[in-house]
């Protein structure tokens, strides 16, 4: 099974793809999507386009998306939640929430 792990962020969204075959895990690829500059909508669209290309290239069957944790800044938490929504909006790929400690 091919799995993508995603650490959502507006400035930098980290990702990694592994292949799981029973107890064996094999690294396929990893990298980051940069949100760039501009207004929030432009940054979210940029992340969506980049992540879509990665998913199409590596064809994961499942996804693990890191859960957000509470920041001191409520507005920052909401923006991060929107970036997380971009990461979870993958059709045809089962998603799972993953705590930051995993």
């Amino acid at each position: 099974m091919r799995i993508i792990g995603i650490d959502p962020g507006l400035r930098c969204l980290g990702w990694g793809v592994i292949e799981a075959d029973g107890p064996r895990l094999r690294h396929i690829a990893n990298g980051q999507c940069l949100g760039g500059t501009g207004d929030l909508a432009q940054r979210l669209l940029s992340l969506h386009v980049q992540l879509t290309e990665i998913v199409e290239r590596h064809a994961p069957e499942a996804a693990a998306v890191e859960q957000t944790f509470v920041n001191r800044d409520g507005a920052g938490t909401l923006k991060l939640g929107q970036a997380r929504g971009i990461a979870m909006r993958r059709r045809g790929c089962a998603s799972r929430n993953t705590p930051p400690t995993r």
Side-chain angles (χ1 to χ4, degrees):
M1 173 183 281
R2 192 165 279 202
I3 305 164
I4 186 168
I6 301 171
D7 181 3
L10 274 177
R11 291 187 182 136
C12 179
L13 182 148
W15 61 273
V17 178
I18 61 168
E19 185 81 34
D21 183 14
R24 300 179 70 182
L25 300 177
R26 182 171 58 99
H27 173 263
I28 303 298
N30 65 282
Q32 57 187 0
C33 302
L34 301 177
T37 59
D39 68 15
L40 180 60
Q42 291 173 324
R43 294 167 69 188
L44 290 170
L45 178 60
S46 175
L47 291 173
H48 172 71
V49 168
Q50 293 173 71
L51 192 56
T52 296
E53 291 173 1
I54 292 160
V55 168
E56 288 174 356
R57 183 178 333 130
H58 296 291
E61 300 166 57
V65 181
E66 185 177 271
Q67 293 175 335
T68 57
F69 54 92
V70 178
N71 292 327
R72 286 181 236 152
D73 175 17
T77 301
L78 288 173
K79 290 176 185 176
L80 182 57
Q82 290 174 330
R84 188 170 184 275
I86 293 293
M88 294 195 68
R89 192 182 182 275
R90 287 298 334 139
R91 293 192 173 122
C93 184
S95 293
R96 177 179 169 193
N97 294 316
T98 308
T101 56
R102 286 192 171 184

